[in-house]
Amino acid sequence: MYFWPYSKYEAIFHLKYIISIIPKNSSIFLVGKKNSGINTIQNLFKMWIKFSKIDSAKHCCLFSGKIVSRPTFQFKAFIYNNFYNNINIKTIPGVFSYKKVDVGSQLLISTFTKPIKGDVLDVGCGSGILSISLAKKFNKIKITLTDINIAALESSKLTLKHNDISGEVFESDIYSNIYKTFNLIVSNPPRHEHSKKNLNCIKKIIKNSTKYLKRNGEIRIVVNSNVSCDEFFRNTFFEYNVLLKNKNFKVYQAYKRNEIKKFKTS
């Protein structure tokens, strides 16, 4: 049984691997939202699986299939090369902004015009573009990249290796696996969950950042211009800034000072 994700590239990546390692004549069932592209499955995999639709509800479809042939899975064929400021950003399906360099990340990177140093934490690192761009620009930083998505972690590792940059990369659900403090926390956090607007992740990143910042440490994040994080920052820090804003994105900045406001749960 496979639950079809919202990204068609991710589904093709997963399924080609799955059917390359299980026996011919095995049965496979797929379920997913109609608006996720699942209805293209019969054409996409007709060389390897005979699919038929067995049920359809208002928003979802259920397919069953029989594996008639097994493809050769080539991981390298799914690696996409994006280029930004002479950096080769490696991405694989399932990673945010798979086939392009996200303009929000570019805006955030552009705000670093003064030298920085010390320990940098990239929360929700994705392809690693934020911390790797900073490491290329400033040689006195040590980068740590975390994400909950295994595809993102693998992409960041590939990007680090290809660009000959050192850094720690490991799984963490926001700060769940973080046990030290940093001079800088950067993030381009998700604003949606399953295509619906959800600011819980952004709220947690901001609210709990003070526990993982050194004294005078900084948090700098980018969000959509129509997303307001003012309340989150106001309830956590005494002061904050909107460093840069355009019609699509804005960059927030705040510092951990001697005293931090207690976060309000209301």
Side-chain angles (χ1 to χ4, degrees):
M1 174 67 78
Y2 179 78
F3 292 87
W4 185 274
Y6 276 89
S7 167
K8 187 186 295 187
Y9 292 119
E10 185 179 7
I12 295 170
F13 178 55
H14 290 167
L15 286 171
K16 275 200 173 180
Y17 175 72
I18 291 169
I19 63 178
S20 73
I21 60 172
I22 60 177
K24 285 175 62 177
N25 298 317
S26 296
S27 296
I28 184 168
F29 293 84
L30 271 71
V31 64
K33 297 273 189 177
K34 290 180 179 178
N35 61 1
S36 66
I38 191 172
N39 283 308
T40 63
I41 189 66
Q42 290 167 303
N43 286 328
L44 284 174
F45 284 86
K46 61 184 179 182
M47 291 177 58
W48 307 290
I49 307 174
K50 289 186 176 179
F51 274 113
S52 60
K53 185 184 290 187
I54 59 175
D55 202 0
S56 179
K58 185 176 181 181
H59 299 293
C60 298
C61 293
L62 176 63
F63 288 85
S64 67
K66 185 78 71 174
I67 298 174
V68 296
S69 179
R70 299 195 329 184
T72 300
F73 181 78
Q74 295 180 321
F75 177 70
K76 290 183 178 179
F78 289 94
I79 300 173
Y80 195 85
N81 296 290
N82 292 300
F83 293 90
Y84 174 73
N85 284 352
N86 296 317
I87 303 172
N88 188 342
I89 308 295
K90 304 279 187 177
T91 57
I92 59 177
V95 178
F96 171 67
S97 199
Y98 169 48
K99 285 196 170 185
K100 60 183 179 180
V101 177
D102 175 63
V103 292
S105 294
Q106 294 181 52
L107 186 70
L108 178 53
I109 293 165
S110 74
T111 63
F112 287 92
T113 57
K114 297 179 181 179
I116 60 172
K117 60 182 180 180
D119 296 312
V120 176
L121 173 63
D122 186 350
V123 178
C125 58
S127 64
I129 184 172
L130 295 180
S131 49
I132 290 165
S133 295
L134 295 179
K136 276 281 191 180
K137 190 173 183 179
F138 308 108
N139 58 14
K140 292 185 178 181
I141 65 171
K142 181 179 179 181
I143 57 174
T144 299
L145 301 82
T146 66
D147 207 295
I148 197 171
N149 183 346
I150 191 170
L153 298 175
E154 188 61 31
S155 292
S156 288
K157 290 175 183 177
L158 289 169
T159 304
L160 283 169
K161 183 178 180 181
H162 184 84
N163 292 282
D164 196 26
I165 297 174
S166 297
E168 283 190 277
V169 183
F170 56 86
E171 182 180 355
S172 184
D173 184 359
I174 307 181
Y175 302 113
S176 66
N177 203 22
I178 304 298
Y179 302 99
K180 58 181 283 188
T181 54
F182 296 84
N183 301 93
L184 172 67
I185 295 174
V186 293
S187 185
N188 182 355
R191 278 80 71 182
H192 297 85
E193 184 175 1
H194 303 308
S195 78
K196 293 183 179 179
K197 186 176 178 179
N198 190 323
L199 302 185
N200 285 337
C201 181
I202 297 174
K203 179 179 178 180
K204 290 176 182 178
I205 290 172
I206 297 166
K207 170 188 173 182
N208 296 311
S209 63
T210 56
K211 301 175 186 176
Y212 303 95
L213 285 170
K214 299 178 188 290
R215 182 180 177 183
N216 295 319
E218 176 191 354
I219 180 172
R220 200 179 298 195
I221 69 170
V222 62
V223 297
N224 289 85
S225 58
N226 62 354
V227 172
S228 175
C229 296
D230 293 17
E231 183 180 357
F232 305 152
F233 275 99
R234 190 165 50 245
N235 289 339
T236 307
F237 298 90
F238 276 97
E239 297 179 351
Y240 67 93
N241 300 300
V242 175
L243 281 182
L244 190 60
K245 181 178 179 179
N246 60 27
K247 65 178 182 179
N248 296 313
F249 297 95
K250 57 186 171 184
V251 177
Y252 281 93
Q253 175 199 53
Y255 290 93
K256 179 181 178 179
R257 302 305 188 188
N258 291 336
E259 296 181 13
I260 296 295
K261 285 186 176 181
K262 185 178 180 180
F263 186 83
K264 297 178 183 177
T265 57
S266 59

